[in-house]
Amino acid sequence: MPNNKFYFAQTVDDVALKGWYTEKNFRHLIDFFNSCGVKATFFVVPIDEESDRPFNEVFPEIPGIIAGAVRDGHAFGQHGLRHNRFELGVPPAMVLDLPHETENKRYAAENKAALAADHSLENCRARLKTGRDILEKVLNIKINGFRAPAIQSSENMFKALAESYSFDSSAVWQQTGWDYLNGNVDVPPRELDQARYDEIVSVCPGLEYPLSCDYSWLLPAERYELTWALAKHDIDACIRLDVPFIPVCHVDPVHEGEGIRMLKDIYAYAKEAAANAGKELEFVTLEELADCK
């Protein structure tokens, strides 16, 4: 990639996830990105876990909204199959330590062998294909990319992705945001260096685009400055290392508290910081980023 560019790939999780998605917030988020000149990559859940029906039967408005968003320059990928915590792998400790994950943490600890057997290459292939086929049939677009629900992972999930996907963005390289969500507000930002980045990218060589963090999850005013400092730290690190900045937000939680304000500040700071480094900020989708290599 040319070193005079600083690539910024905004991503959004939980499209069509009941309880975390509403049509109003989905439409507003697309309009917000358009007003900011931001191209985003949205990850869609193929099957509603509660009813076991395809996403479009539960949320019939989504295909039409997505068709418009694609025309606006946004991209769409696959977000698991049913957004079950363990369908393709196991979430990392920083996720299972969240207050609402107590039961899932217990289940993961008590069923390690059974989960490892369930995450066979054959099962991962089949689950990925089932979800991808649903999305492609309903949306009439090619699904090239993937992000795992709850940042779960397994060796076979990455092997299956490498067989037929163009990009994955399931790995995280800034865990400090989850420390804050777990109440550990005295933890300093983890230093981001090339060795750490290369280590994370190696989980799915040639396909992995690590997300940095969610800086906007149900963000209360009292945690704004702390999270803002983390976001600036991570943007500066990406510019210094000449790697893309890939934050994530979630359809409904970004609208709670100060989430939208945070995104506005992040976009403005990224532009300023890139200019100060002699680079031009460019908002891209993950599909475009994969093509930049």
Side-chain angles (χ1 to χ4, degrees):
M1 293 183 289
N3 60 15
N4 65 324
K5 296 280 190 179
F6 173 46
Y7 292 105
F8 188 129
Q10 176 70 60
T11 65
V12 182
D13 286 1
D14 292 357
V15 176
L17 180 61
K18 189 179 297 183
W20 301 99
Y21 160 93
T22 59
E23 177 183 354
K24 177 183 177 181
N25 284 339
F26 186 33
R27 289 185 184 275
H28 179 266
L29 200 52
I30 293 170
D31 290 343
F32 168 69
F33 291 145
N34 290 344
S35 71
C36 295
V38 171
K39 293 182 180 181
T41 303
F42 296 81
F43 291 94
V44 186
V45 180
I47 296 176
D48 175 63
E49 186 169 25
E50 183 179 309
S51 65
D52 204 36
R53 292 186 293 161
F55 73 100
N56 59 302
E57 295 183 10
V58 180
F59 300 106
E61 77 282 354
I62 288 181
I65 298 174
I66 287 179
V70 170
R71 290 193 294 270
D72 291 336
H74 303 292
F76 290 82
Q78 179 181 350
H79 199 33
L81 180 58
R82 294 178 175 83
H83 207 282
N84 179 281
R85 287 291 183 269
F86 304 106
E87 60 195 19
L88 295 160
V90 177
M94 66 185 189
V95 171
L96 293 178
D97 284 341
L98 292 169
H100 62 279
E101 296 287 349
T102 301
E103 178 58 25
N104 289 322
K105 183 176 182 178
R106 181 198 63 77
Y107 184 87
E110 295 178 359
N111 295 274
K112 290 182 180 179
L115 285 169
D118 185 56
H119 300 146
S120 66
L121 183 56
E122 180 181 11
N123 285 347
C124 287
R125 282 175 180 151
R127 290 165 190 168
L128 287 170
K129 185 178 187 305
T130 297
R132 190 181 196 179
D133 286 349
I134 289 171
L135 293 177
E136 292 187 339
K137 179 180 179 180
V138 172
L139 300 176
N140 197 30
I141 59 175
K142 178 69 174 174
I143 296 297
N144 296 309
F146 181 82
R147 176 171 288 154
I151 324 173
Q152 64 185 259
S153 68
S154 69
E155 182 178 355
N156 286 325
M157 180 190 86
F158 289 122
K159 286 182 178 179
L161 287 168
E163 292 175 348
S164 60
Y165 288 74
S166 300
F167 66 86
D168 175 67
S169 187
S170 300
V172 176
W173 76 315
Q174 180 51 279
Q175 298 178 8
T176 305
W178 281 266
D179 290 320
Y180 297 164
L181 293 177
N182 280 307
N184 302 320
V185 296
D186 294 327
V187 175
R190 285 169 171 78
E191 290 305 320
L192 307 179
D193 57 30
Q194 191 66 52
R196 172 67 175 147
Y197 187 81
D198 292 344
E199 177 187 358
I200 295 174
V201 169
S202 70
V203 300
C204 198
L207 298 183
E208 192 62 33
Y209 291 86
L211 67 93
S212 57
C213 190
D214 187 338
Y215 307 96
S216 59
W217 176 275
L218 304 174
L219 183 62
E222 60 268 24
R223 204 174 66 235
Y224 192 89
E225 292 304 321
L226 184 69
T227 307
W228 175 227
L230 177 65
K232 291 189 290 185
H233 170 276
D234 295 348
I235 291 169
D236 290 342
C238 289
I239 292 174
R240 183 179 69 253
L241 296 172
D242 194 26
V243 299
F245 180 60
I246 307 175
V248 60
C249 68
H250 294 72
V251 177
D252 279 4
V254 72
H255 290 89
E256 296 287 334
E258 304 293 331
I260 295 295
R261 174 191 167 197
M262 174 61 74
L263 292 185
K264 289 180 179 178
D265 284 348
I266 285 174
Y267 301 154
Y269 182 80
K271 183 176 182 179
E272 177 185 357
N276 290 339
K279 297 178 181 289
E280 179 185 357
L281 174 66
E282 183 171 338
F283 290 107
V284 295
T285 66
L286 286 176
E287 287 187 346
E288 291 172 327
L289 191 60
D291 286 342
C292 286
K293 291 193 303 181

